[in-house]
Amino acid sequence: MKAMLEQLFRTTLDDIAIDKVLPQRVLLRGSTLQIESECLELDDFDRIVVAALGKAAGSMTASLAGVLAPRQIGGIVVGPVECQVPGIVSIVGEHPYPGAGSARAAAALLELASGVGENDLFICLLSGGGSSLAEMPLDDSVSMSDLNTLHQMLVTCGADIVAMNVVRKHLSAIKGGRLAQAAAPARQLTLYVSDVPPDEPETVASGPTMPDSSTAEDAAAVITRYGLMEKLPASIRTLFGQALAETPKPDETSFARSTWHCLLDNAAAVKILRDHAKAQGWVAVSDCTVDDWPLAKAADTLLERLELLLRAHPGQPVCLVSGGELSCPVTGDGSGGRNQAFVLHVAQQIAGANIAVLSAGSDGIDGNSPAAGALADGATIERATGLGLDAATCQQHSDSFHFFQALGDAIMTGVTGNNVRDLRILLRT
């Protein structure tokens, strides 16, 4: 059962690969670039300038260059690894917390945007991870070290991605529409791969080219809600005590010549995974209602729904497919992420049962581990005990990766060049 689940996950990753999806969504017909119902006459522009940012930046840039060939493009791609595309400068930023490379990337992107003119087409390619990969403080009183500390606090406090990025936007020189401000009045086109809830596109990479509907007051509320105010670096705490600068809002002229299109999201990936499960002859249902829930609550709820599905279809294999992200505060100094933590929690609930579970990130990296996620079944806890592993201890120390690595049940894909949130699948026969 575990082997089948991993095969379905890997097949889904292949199906949602950027080099397959982008050319299907972005079309060049003669000199006209078409995305959905929007058409751009490329001969009307002096230059095509690309700014790519996020975990899928390299694959998105390479795919777009292929679509536009033989037209020449220039610009910058910022990702977790080097990208080789003719005419494009590659900068590697840090993730999950910003560093010196992230600061260089943010400065370079802002300089690039400031250099485009009214007759240029500025194409921004966004994907998840961009919030860390390109970052620099808006206020000179805040150091990169302080901003790094803030990112660490946000990632580990249990806040969801929307809440984290509300705070990031209000302290960043590039996020929350500020890159679009720098590029105005050029014609701006943003294509994005979404790693956020479907109604929050401005959250992707903290929305550098999108107007921001959140306020400085919202940012302060997040800090207060998670008890972070007194833990903040002094420079950032001082800013919250005064008045944070507001982000560009939807009615600002910076966005007058801007359009945005989603190329791929979690819902599309969940549907593909569910379809692959149905092709196995299983009763397969998708359920994404647990998105952004606390991990334990989500796990228990999905197990309950799996049991109800089995009762409704006795004698048949039943499968529950889920997506999105779960809230998972870090309680120790181990290695792992929310996907492996989810599987570790479920493994303890299904001991002895004929159930298998997979949870993995579409980007190939789960938390601070080298794994994408993990697998478990009813025999996992017994096998672990035989190896001297204690699930509860590993859970307490946030060390799910070493637990599953020892069992041979960590899913290792490497960096996928994509990022549409997490995928989970539970199977019972």
Side-chain angles (χ1 to χ4, degrees):
M1 291 168 68
K2 289 187 301 181
M4 180 62 74
L5 294 190
E6 183 169 2
Q7 181 58 49
L8 295 186
F9 172 69
R10 290 180 180 272
T11 300
T12 299
L13 288 186
D14 290 341
D15 289 344
I16 63 172
I18 298 299
D19 61 0
K20 292 183 180 179
V21 173
L22 190 145
Q24 295 173 352
R25 302 293 309 280
V26 182
L27 307 173
L28 185 64
R29 304 184 187 279
S31 60
T32 302
L33 188 66
Q34 181 178 347
I35 309 98
E36 297 175 336
S37 61
E38 180 175 18
C39 294
L40 293 170
E41 180 51 58
L42 297 183
D43 288 343
D44 291 342
F45 300 103
D46 294 340
R47 294 184 300 160
I48 300 174
V49 180
V50 174
L53 171 60
K55 293 180 180 178
S59 54
M60 292 179 77
T61 303
S63 295
L64 180 65
V67 169
L68 295 176
R71 289 179 181 269
Q72 299 298 307
I73 61 174
I76 295 172
V77 56
V78 179
V81 294
E82 286 279 352
C83 170
Q84 302 295 326
V85 177
I88 300 292
V89 174
S90 177
I91 302 176
V92 176
E94 286 84 14
H95 188 274
Y97 312 124
S102 306
R104 287 193 300 272
L109 288 172
L110 287 167
E111 183 179 4
L112 177 73
S114 298
V116 297
E118 186 175 2
N119 295 323
D120 293 329
L121 175 60
F122 184 67
I123 302 180
C124 189
L125 305 175
L126 294 181
S127 55
S131 295
S132 170
L133 291 165
E135 177 67 298
M136 61 186 293
L138 177 65
D139 194 286
D140 291 340
S141 68
V142 178
S143 68
M144 276 302 296
S145 176
D146 287 347
L147 212 52
N148 178 291
T149 298
L150 172 69
H151 276 247
Q152 292 189 47
M153 293 170 63
L154 290 170
V155 168
T156 57
C157 74
D160 62 41
I161 187 64
V162 176
M164 285 192 284
N165 286 357
V166 165
V167 176
R168 289 163 168 166
K169 291 177 188 180
H170 286 86
L171 292 163
S172 173
I174 191 171
K175 297 176 172 53
R178 293 193 172 104
L179 187 64
Q181 274 189 325
R187 176 65 167 89
Q188 300 185 47
L189 171 67
T190 297
L191 307 175
Y192 64 94
V193 171
S194 178
D195 71 327
V196 301
D199 57 346
E200 297 284 352
E202 66 188 52
T203 299
V204 179
S206 296
T209 54
M210 299 184 186
D212 181 32
S213 61
S214 73
T215 65
E217 185 176 322
D218 294 331
V222 172
I223 294 297
T224 300
R225 185 186 317 147
Y226 291 95
L228 302 179
M229 191 64 75
E230 297 307 313
K231 303 174 185 177
L232 291 173
S235 63
I236 297 177
R237 189 167 61 250
T238 298
L239 288 179
F240 273 103
Q242 300 169 351
L244 285 178
E246 267 304 350
T247 46
K249 302 307 175 191
D251 59 351
E252 296 198 15
T253 58
S254 304
F255 307 107
R257 303 183 68 207
S258 296
T259 52
W260 309 269
H261 297 274
C262 180
L263 300 181
L264 182 67
D265 62 9
N266 186 249
V270 167
K271 181 182 182 302
I272 290 170
L273 180 55
R274 184 195 65 196
D275 289 346
H276 284 311
K278 285 184 176 179
Q280 305 304 312
W282 306 339
V283 176
V285 175
S286 58
D287 186 337
C288 295
T289 59
V290 300
D291 188 17
D292 285 332
W293 283 20
L295 182 149
K297 179 183 177 183
D300 295 346
T301 298
L302 290 176
L303 284 170
E304 290 173 7
R305 291 174 182 170
L306 184 69
E307 193 65 31
L308 291 174
L309 196 60
L310 182 67
R311 292 177 191 173
H313 301 275
Q316 299 182 64
V318 294
C319 176
L320 201 59
V321 179
S322 183
E325 296 180 358
L326 304 176
S327 172
C328 180
V330 176
T331 56
D333 58 359
S335 179
R338 59 180 174 262
N339 288 288
Q340 292 162 93
F342 173 85
V343 177
L344 184 58
H345 178 90
V346 172
Q348 296 169 78
Q349 310 301 311
I350 64 173
N354 199 26
I355 298 175
V357 58
L358 172 150
S359 186
S362 58
D363 60 354
I365 300 297
D366 186 35
N368 65 351
S369 80
L375 296 145
D377 60 17
T380 293
I381 296 302
E382 181 180 356
R383 290 174 56 225
T385 301
L387 293 175
L389 296 168
D390 181 67
T393 300
C394 290
Q395 191 169 1
Q396 180 182 357
H397 292 286
S398 300
D399 200 24
S400 51
F401 169 66
H402 290 111
F403 180 91
F404 289 111
Q405 182 188 42
L407 291 171
D409 285 335
I411 300 172
M412 310 295 289
T413 64
V415 175
T416 64
N418 207 339
N419 190 12
V420 289
R421 314 189 88 195
D422 301 334
L423 294 169
R424 290 175 289 278
I425 183 166
L426 297 88
L427 173 66
R428 175 150 192 171
T429 60

